[in-house]
Amino acid sequence: MPVFALVDCNNFYASCERLFQPRLRTQPIIVLSNNDGCVVARSQEAKQLDIKMGTPYFKVKALCDRHNVAVFSSNYQLYGDLSQRVMETLRQFTPDLEVYSIDEAFLSLDGFSHLDVAAYAQEIRTRVGQWTGIPVSIGIGPTKTLAKIANHVAKRRTQTGVFDLRDQTLQSEILATLPVQDIWGIGRRWAKKLPKFGIQTALQLREADPALIRRHFTVVGERLVRELNGDSCLPLENLMAKQNIMSSKSFGSLQTEFQPIAEALSCYAARACEKMRGQGSKAQGIHVMLRTSKFRQDCPQYSNGMNYGFPAPTSDTRVIAKAAKHCLAQIYRPGYAYQKTGVMLTDLISDSVQQQDLFQRGDDRRSERLMAVMDALNAQMGRKALYLAAQGNERSWRMRCDRRSPRYTTQWEELPTVS
DNA sequence: TCTGGGGTCCTAGGACCC
DNA sequence: TCTGGGGTCCTAGGACCC
């Protein structure tokens, strides 16, 4: 029988902030989304203050002031770097690992069943703590879905941070007390719909007729039922290159003019291209979107998008930024207060298997070399060392991030100092 | 004043082909 | 006048995840 372990960092962003500021060890911490919009991470103490995930910051600001909550803007360079360290540590324990998100990884422990798997998990947890300073919880189960549930239990009901859910009797006991909406894969819509079939707990879903579930909840629902029954349907996925890469952000303030929006879009395009080259892909098309704020019902609403296909796959920022601007010009309408624009690079293919186009080869090589130089310079000297004029200088549309901590581990100027 | 960003998978329906 | 059935591909939209 397969054995999956789900390793999940506890309150990841909050733990990252705490790592470099020990004085915050007992203070409640929250981390805000881009633009300092919503609460996206909370330390244990902040959770106890009943600050909910996803709440707009302005709604809890007074509460935070009252309880001396440390508030941070997102510091993705820091979180990304610490995430990599955690994942590298995990890789020492098994090569069969799927990095599922910035703070989670599935491990396959199939080959370790001769060992005491729970003790092994305990060892993993200890070493990640020692090497990175990030606390993690580990759930063990015969399927990914059950490992996920085991992790949920490990976080809430154990002192050790490890919970083994391979035993069937134990499964029935745990699933009976687990509300169906807490299962991985059950979102808001399905949580509302399932009780109409008499299903409120995970146990009831496990015992439901797979065919009935398939009829009303597609094959995705059926797979879930099987997974709850210990029938592993979701394999470990090897980290494949992304099929689409998106970059979009809200403006720091609403924008009405074409020029600043176009500059913002050029920046997002440049960022997306960097990511794409980082994974060795080229795009065959793009999708550009532009929209007003849905929260400002007092303003006229407008939302539009446009696709564009390239004659040949490309990863050249100049080409892509130009195409993005062209799309923007088609969908932009004066007279609206825009909140957000973005670009998605679509239909990515590996640049090594790309069909060679006889007529473009020379240009392609020049372009690739130029982009390589640009990426190298920006990596070495900071992201804004070299950029397109189209990206603009003023950046009046820039996001707010007034409370970002130093990028301790990725910027020389921001290294922590000991005095 | 202030409401995130980045992904994946699945289905239905239309266009088109033989 | 009568107008099949099966297959593929594409897109839009809806659901989910962190």
Side-chain angles (χ1 to χ4, degrees), chain A residues 45 55 172 222 233 242 283 336 353 392:
Chain A
E45 301 75 16
T55 315
S172 306
E222 184 190 359
C233 307
K242 302 255 185 278
Y336 292 98
V353 303

Side-chain angles (χ1 to χ4, degrees), chain A residues 54-290:
Chain A
T55 315
Y57 175 54
F58 71 90
K59 289 191 180 172
V60 291
K61 185 169 184 309
L63 182 75
C64 290
D65 291 345
R66 235 179 7 257
H67 290 89
N68 191 29
V69 175
V71 181
F72 291 93
S73 303
S74 290
N75 186 345
Y76 287 108
Q77 286 200 37
L78 178 66
Y79 311 150
D81 184 59
L82 290 172
S83 170
Q84 271 190 32
R85 297 181 191 203
V86 170
M87 301 308 169
E88 277 160 25
T89 309
L90 293 178
R91 230 180 276 280
Q92 310 234 324
F93 287 90
T94 171
D96 300 323
L97 163 152
E98 173 189 344
V99 177
Y100 178 69
S101 72
I102 194 165
D103 70 335
E104 275 174 84
F106 285 101
L107 276 54
S108 163
L109 299 181
D110 293 2
F112 297 80
S113 37
H114 59 288
L115 298 177
D116 178 348
V117 172
Y120 194 57
Q122 200 53 254
E123 202 182 317
I124 294 176
R125 184 170 181 269
T126 306
R127 193 178 307 169
V128 172
Q130 281 170 350
W131 286 13
T132 69
I134 299 292
V136 299
S137 301
I138 304 182
I140 301 162
T143 68
K144 280 181 161 184
T145 305
L146 288 169
K148 195 85 179 170
I149 291 171
N151 191 281
H152 183 90
V153 177
K155 280 215 164 62
R156 285 164 186 76
R157 302 193 206 168
T158 67
Q159 298 298 311
T160 58
V162 173
F163 192 77
D164 183 350
L165 190 55
R166 282 176 300 165
D167 180 78
Q168 291 208 10
T169 317
L170 187 58
Q171 285 169 19
S172 306
E173 200 179 300
I174 296 287
L175 296 188
T177 61
L178 188 73
V180 82
Q181 67 265 21
D182 290 353
I183 302 171
W184 181 48
I186 304 290
R188 283 222 301 277
R189 296 305 260 266
W190 288 6
K192 251 194 187 149
K193 195 167 150 191
L194 279 164
K196 293 176 185 154
F197 298 86
I199 297 168
Q200 321 249 15
T201 68
L203 186 65
Q204 288 167 330
L205 183 59
R206 184 177 81 174
E207 287 165 355
D209 173 16
L212 173 93
I213 296 298
R214 180 178 191 137
R215 213 158 40 245
H216 293 96
F217 300 88
T218 78
V219 294
V220 180
E222 184 190 359
R223 232 167 17 212
L224 216 49
V225 174
R226 297 195 183 282
E227 282 256 315
L228 288 173
N229 277 289
D231 176 5
S232 177
C233 307
L234 302 167
L236 219 57
E237 307 206 8
N238 33 7
L239 4 137
M240 287 194 327
K242 302 255 185 278
Q243 298 167 26
N244 299 297
I245 288 178
M246 174 101 172
S247 179
S248 80
K249 284 171 195 65
S250 300
F251 306 121
S253 57
L254 299 182
Q255 300 288 318
T256 55
E257 302 304 314
F258 180 80
Q259 189 56 29
I261 297 175
E263 287 177 6
L265 185 63
S266 299
C267 286
Y268 305 158
R271 176 75 191 116
C273 288
E274 251 176 53
K275 275 200 235 170
M276 175 168 65
R277 291 190 295 266
Q279 71 165 38
S281 303
K282 294 192 171 187
Q284 304 188 82
I286 58 171
H287 177 83
V288 172
M289 52 80 56
L290 174 70

